[in-house]
């Protein structure tokens, strides 16, 4: 049951991280560059950012970005010598130079820029096209004082383009890329800010130099004695698991664009060729997802996602779990019978999952999900066969501190001819000995569980035509029966959700929305409940967040198995959040009435 919930949230995460129309493509980076961050036009972006901050709340003040970039990054005193209409970039090169990121920007007059450098820079010489400086910081180390040397700074120029950094070789390498045109003068991104990171490029460069981070982790594990409570073989398999995850992702990108009514974030995830992730994304149906009919529009988080072939992901997950259990000298928590049932279950899965999460301050979460099935009756039979297997899976979690009592009740209820099964899980805790610390920890665990899902936790399943309905929480049964009847206002029929998602490009294979105000209200309510039940003196501010339009998220299947995404955050929502914390803006001062007016 919990594994199915996890699968749903993995799908929801794919909805949340990666959306942009198929025409979008992350920029290609030079071979020597593993990451780059760029502000294509700071002169345009800076004032618009300041104006937006003032829209959110008049008391939100920030210095001009151009001034910060000039003094803190470019080390210049004179803003007029810098050209912020051209890209400002932070560049990370391949190892071993990755530890020394460099800045690349443009100037209007090279000599004027060099003559306006901060007085904390002391010139030490010149190496080819690169000037060498020592940067003295703080009042105890002015230049020429004979005090201990400060930090090295190197500045190279190619025409009106400047490269600045703390390592000579890094500046020289980036400068050569500028001269060769591999770091072009025109922007790499068409948004206000963009970031691109090549994970496999970084890992390959490290391995070529004998500095594989996972091998270094394993070597460190072998050299250091471990506490008796830590299993070395288990730790090695955990490292293997992280390494396996890293082999799925080739590149990551993110972009930000300020608009008149919204802030738009764009994300891209590039999979490794022929990876499990790439095969999964390629298997997602090539059609547009629809807003869910069985998810209530009042949910503070909801999503509808088309899904691909789960079999490779499920096999990968089962193999990792089995290997991890073997390293602990324990039998696999997944029996052969259960493994076979899970694989059968993936064979009946359809190609869509809808999910929603609801909650009010001081109450546990309620979640509801619809999963399309190709054969619902078979899915129901498999679910009931899995019930005793899941109960057996919980047995290893019985400890002197925590015990789980689970009960599966088939045909717990019936609604309009559809049977409803129920899972109940009761958690009990007992502190060993008289340790006050352990008692406090257990009280926090108890309070957290009760605030999050209730204790006992209740889960319900039903198999209407077309799929599986699943719900959890104290209101789970109510929302499940309403979903069977269509008795609530669904997300598809909720105007503010439709309106916000309409601002995204068409063709999404996944959509999601977040009502951030209600979500934060529930979270703060949960914290208050936990602190109160656990008798922890930690005051939670009495904030009630104002509501704004929902945040809209779209996910798109890009070329060659890439995942691309867009998140649209309304300015009205940001304003509501800021003013919930800072209070309403002060009223504008009223002008004095003219002499002789009635008020006089």
């Amino acid at each position: 049951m919990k594994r199915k919930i996890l699968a749903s949230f993995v799908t929801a995460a794919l909805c949340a991280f990666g959306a942009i129309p198929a025409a979008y493509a992350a920029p290609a980076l030079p071979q020597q560059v593993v990451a780059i961050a760029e502000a294509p036009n700071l002169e345009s972006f800076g004032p618009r950012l300041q104006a937006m901050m003032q829209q959110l709340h008049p008391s939100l003040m920030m210095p001009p970005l151009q001034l910060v970039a000039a003094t803190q990054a470019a080390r210049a005193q004179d803003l007029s010598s810098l050209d912020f209409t051209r890209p400002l970039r932070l560049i990370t090169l391949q190892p071993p130079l990755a530890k020394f990121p460099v800045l690349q920007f443009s100037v209007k007059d090279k000599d004027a820029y060099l003559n306006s450098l901060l007085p904390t820079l002391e010139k030490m010489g010149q190496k080819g096209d690169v000037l060498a400086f020592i940067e003295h910081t703080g009042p105890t180390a002015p230049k020429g004082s004979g005090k201990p040397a400060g930090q090295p700074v190197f500045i190279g120029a190619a025409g009106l383009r400047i490269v600045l950094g703390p390592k000579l070789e890094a500046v020289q390498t980036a400068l050569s890329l500028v001269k060769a045109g591999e770091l072009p003068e025109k922007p790499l991104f068409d948004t206000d800010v963009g970031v691109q990171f090549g994970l496999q490029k970084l890992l390959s460069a490290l391995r070529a130099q004998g500095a594989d981070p996972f091998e270094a982790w394993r070597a460190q594990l072998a050299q250091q004695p471990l506490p008796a409570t830590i299993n070395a073989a288990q730790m090695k398999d955990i490292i293997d698991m992280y390494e396996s995850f890293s082999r799925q992702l080739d590149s990551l990108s993110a972009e930000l664009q300020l608009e008149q009514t919204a802030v738009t974030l764009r994300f891209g995830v590039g999979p490794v060729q022929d990876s499990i992730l790439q095969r999964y994304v390629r298997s997602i149906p090539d059609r547009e997802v629809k807003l869910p009919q069985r998810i209530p529009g009042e949910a503070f988080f909801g999503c509808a996602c088309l899904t691909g072939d789960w079999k490779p992901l499920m096999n990968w997950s089962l193999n990792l779990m089995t290997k991890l259990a073997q390293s602990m000298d324990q039998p696999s928590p997944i029996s052969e019978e259960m493994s076979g049932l899970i694989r059968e279950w993936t064979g009946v899965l359809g190609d869509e999952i809808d999910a929603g999460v609801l909650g009010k301050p001081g109450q546990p979460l309620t979640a509801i999900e619809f999963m399309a099935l190709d054969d619902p009756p078979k899915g129901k039979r498999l679910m009931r066969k899995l019930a005793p297997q899941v109960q057996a899976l919980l047995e290893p979690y019985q400890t002197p501190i925590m015990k789980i009592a689970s009960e599966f009740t088939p045909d717990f209820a019936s609604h309009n001819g559809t049977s409803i099964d129920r899972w109940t899980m009761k958690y009990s805790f007992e502190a060993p000995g008289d340790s006050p610390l352990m008692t406090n920890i257990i009280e926090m665990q108890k309070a957290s569980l009760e605030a999050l899902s209730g204790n006992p936790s209740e889960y319900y399943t039903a198999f209407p035509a077309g799929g599986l309905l699943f719900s959890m929480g104290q209101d789970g049964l109510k929302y499940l029966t309403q979903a069977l009847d269509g008795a609530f206002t669904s997300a598809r029929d909720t105007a503010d959700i439709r309106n916000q998602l309409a601002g995204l490009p068409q063709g999404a294979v996944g959509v999601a929305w977040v009502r951030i105000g209600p979500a934060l209200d529930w979270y703060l309510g949960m914290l208050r409940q936990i602190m109160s039940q656990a008798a922890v003196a930690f005051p939670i501010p009495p904030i009630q967040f104002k509501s704004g339009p929902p945040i809209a998220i779209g996910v798109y299947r890009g070329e060659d198995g890439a995942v691309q995404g867009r998140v649209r955050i309304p300015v009205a929502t940001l304003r509501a959040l800021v003013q919930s914390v800072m209070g309403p803006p002060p009223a504008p001062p009223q002008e004095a009435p003219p002499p002789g007016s009635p008020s006089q």
Side-chain angles (χ1 to χ4, degrees):
M1 187 69 66
K2 289 188 176 182
R3 184 171 292 104
K4 192 171 72 62
I5 300 170
L6 177 62
S8 304
F9 280 99
V10 168
T11 305
L14 286 175
C15 289
F17 292 100
I20 303 181
Y24 167 76
L29 301 182
Q31 182 59 36
Q32 297 97 315
V33 176
V34 297
I36 195 165
E38 177 184 273
N41 189 330
L42 207 60
E43 188 163 306
S44 166
F45 176 56
R48 286 188 291 113
L49 179 60
Q50 283 186 302
M52 178 170 288
M53 299 286 280
Q54 288 292 292
Q55 278 191 63
L56 302 184
H57 201 284
S59 62
L60 288 177
M61 305 295 291
M62 60 174 291
L65 283 183
Q66 302 96 307
L67 178 62
V68 175
T71 58
Q72 302 298 318
R75 279 37 171 219
Q77 302 179 81
D78 183 8
L79 271 174
S80 65
S81 67
L82 301 169
D83 187 355
F84 287 124
T85 65
R86 300 186 182 279
L88 172 70
R89 295 173 179 142
L90 184 66
I91 301 164
T92 302
L93 300 166
Q94 281 196 356
L97 299 177
K99 296 184 292 185
F100 308 100
V102 299
L103 197 70
Q104 188 263 301
F105 54 94
S106 295
V107 295
K108 299 173 183 176
D109 185 308
K110 183 179 72 172
D111 293 333
Y113 163 68
L114 293 176
N115 290 331
S116 75
L117 291 175
L118 295 175
T120 52
L121 290 178
E122 179 181 2
K123 187 175 179 181
M124 303 300 292
Q126 184 168 350
K127 300 179 185 292
D129 295 334
V130 179
L131 299 173
F133 298 86
I134 290 292
E135 185 172 28
H136 302 281
T137 56
T140 60
K143 65 178 185 179
S145 65
K147 300 285 185 179
Q151 300 298 318
V153 173
F154 299 91
I155 300 176
L160 296 177
R161 300 177 66 192
I162 303 296
V163 177
L164 182 152
K167 184 76 171 176
L168 174 63
E169 292 82 355
V171 170
Q172 289 173 329
T173 300
L175 197 60
S176 68
L177 296 175
V178 169
K179 293 177 178 178
E182 294 187 60
L183 283 173
E185 189 172 358
K186 65 180 182 179
L188 296 171
F189 298 89
D190 61 358
T191 50
D192 287 323
V193 179
V195 178
Q196 172 83 351
F197 172 59
L199 176 61
Q200 293 306 316
K201 187 185 291 186
L202 174 62
L203 292 176
S204 297
L206 288 171
R207 287 171 181 140
Q209 297 170 20
D212 186 315
F214 299 103
E215 291 300 330
W217 196 359
R218 294 184 184 98
Q220 185 180 20
L221 184 67
Q223 294 170 3
Q224 294 183 351
L226 294 173
T229 54
I230 298 181
N231 185 302
Q234 178 186 0
M235 286 298 299
K236 288 179 182 177
D237 279 335
I238 289 174
I239 296 171
D240 290 345
M241 180 177 66
Y242 282 119
E243 186 174 25
S244 181
F245 288 151
S246 74
R247 290 183 180 136
Q248 305 301 311
L249 301 176
D250 179 60
S251 62
L252 302 170
S253 64
E255 299 180 43
L256 180 144
Q257 180 69 41
L258 298 186
E259 301 167 0
Q260 188 70 28
T261 59
V263 177
T264 297
L265 303 174
R266 305 199 310 191
F267 298 87
V269 178
V272 170
Q273 287 295 318
D274 203 34
S275 64
I276 294 171
L277 175 62
Q278 186 187 54
R279 296 200 299 271
Y280 174 78
V281 175
R282 283 175 170 172
S283 69
I284 295 174
D286 188 16
R287 68 174 191 271
E288 186 171 31
V289 71
K290 297 183 180 299
L291 270 172
Q293 192 71 41
R294 289 187 170 94
I295 303 302
E298 64 182 292
F300 59 64
F301 169 80
C303 72
C305 305
L306 300 180
T307 61
D309 183 2
W310 287 102
K311 297 184 189 69
L313 288 174
M314 190 61 69
N315 290 334
W316 180 53
S317 175
L318 291 174
N319 290 338
L320 283 175
M321 292 182 67
T322 299
K323 188 174 182 182
L324 187 60
Q326 290 172 348
S327 69
M328 300 169 66
D329 297 325
Q330 292 183 2
S332 172
I334 308 295
S335 66
E336 289 189 16
E337 181 182 0
M338 187 176 187
S339 178
L341 289 171
I342 290 174
R343 288 186 169 93
E344 267 196 273
W345 172 259
T346 59
V348 302
L349 291 178
D351 59 10
E352 184 171 346
I353 290 179
D354 306 332
V357 180
L358 308 93
K360 295 180 180 179
Q363 296 181 6
L365 284 178
T366 296
I368 183 164
E369 174 193 321
F370 175 76
M371 178 180 288
L373 299 179
D374 294 333
D375 189 343
K378 183 178 180 180
K380 181 176 181 178
R381 292 193 301 271
L382 289 170
M383 180 70 75
R384 291 188 172 184
K385 286 183 180 180
L386 278 166
Q389 300 288 332
V390 173
Q391 287 178 301
L393 184 65
L394 295 174
E395 290 179 4
Y397 294 94
Q398 311 295 325
T399 69
I401 296 174
M402 182 184 74
K403 297 186 183 300
I404 305 174
S406 64
E407 181 182 0
F408 176 68
T409 308
D411 298 318
F412 168 78
S414 178
H415 187 76
N416 291 340
T418 301
S419 66
I420 300 171
D421 299 342
R422 183 182 75 172
W423 268 98
T424 301
M425 296 189 188
K426 175 69 176 177
Y427 301 84
S428 58
F429 298 84
E430 183 177 346
D434 299 323
S435 168
L437 177 61
M438 182 59 69
T439 300
N440 287 340
I441 291 174
I442 290 177
E443 287 301 317
M444 287 287 287
Q445 288 181 336
K446 288 171 57 178
S448 299
L449 181 66
E450 291 174 9
L452 183 63
S453 61
N455 190 15
S457 302
E458 296 181 340
Y459 308 86
Y460 301 91
T461 56
F463 289 82
L468 161 69
L469 265 174
F470 164 83
S471 67
M472 62 168 283
Q474 64 181 25
D475 289 331
L477 183 59
K478 179 185 80 171
Y479 280 102
L480 186 139
T481 55
Q482 289 181 357
L484 289 171
D485 291 341
F488 48 57
T489 302
S490 72
R492 189 176 298 179
D493 299 320
T494 302
D496 65 347
I497 295 175
R498 292 201 317 268
N499 292 341
Q500 291 304 313
L501 290 173
L504 298 176
Q506 295 181 345
V509 297
V511 293
W513 71 92
V514 181
R515 300 186 187 278
I516 193 67
L520 290 173
D521 279 338
W522 176 85
Y523 179 71
L524 287 182
M526 179 191 71
L527 289 182
R528 292 188 190 100
Q529 182 180 344
I530 292 172
M531 299 305 169
S532 174
Q533 288 183 221
V536 176
F538 187 85
I540 306 296
I543 299 173
Q544 183 172 359
F545 288 94
K546 298 177 182 178
S547 296
I551 297 170
I553 304 166
V555 63
Y556 304 79
R557 193 183 69 172
E559 295 181 2
D560 206 20
V563 177
Q564 301 169 349
R566 181 169 292 179
V567 180
R568 191 173 186 272
I569 307 172
V571 171
T573 300
L574 293 173
R575 185 187 304 118
L577 291 177
V578 170
Q579 294 185 9
S580 296
V581 176
M582 303 183 66
Q590 295 184 351
E591 295 184 4
S597 66
S599 61
Q600 289 285 317

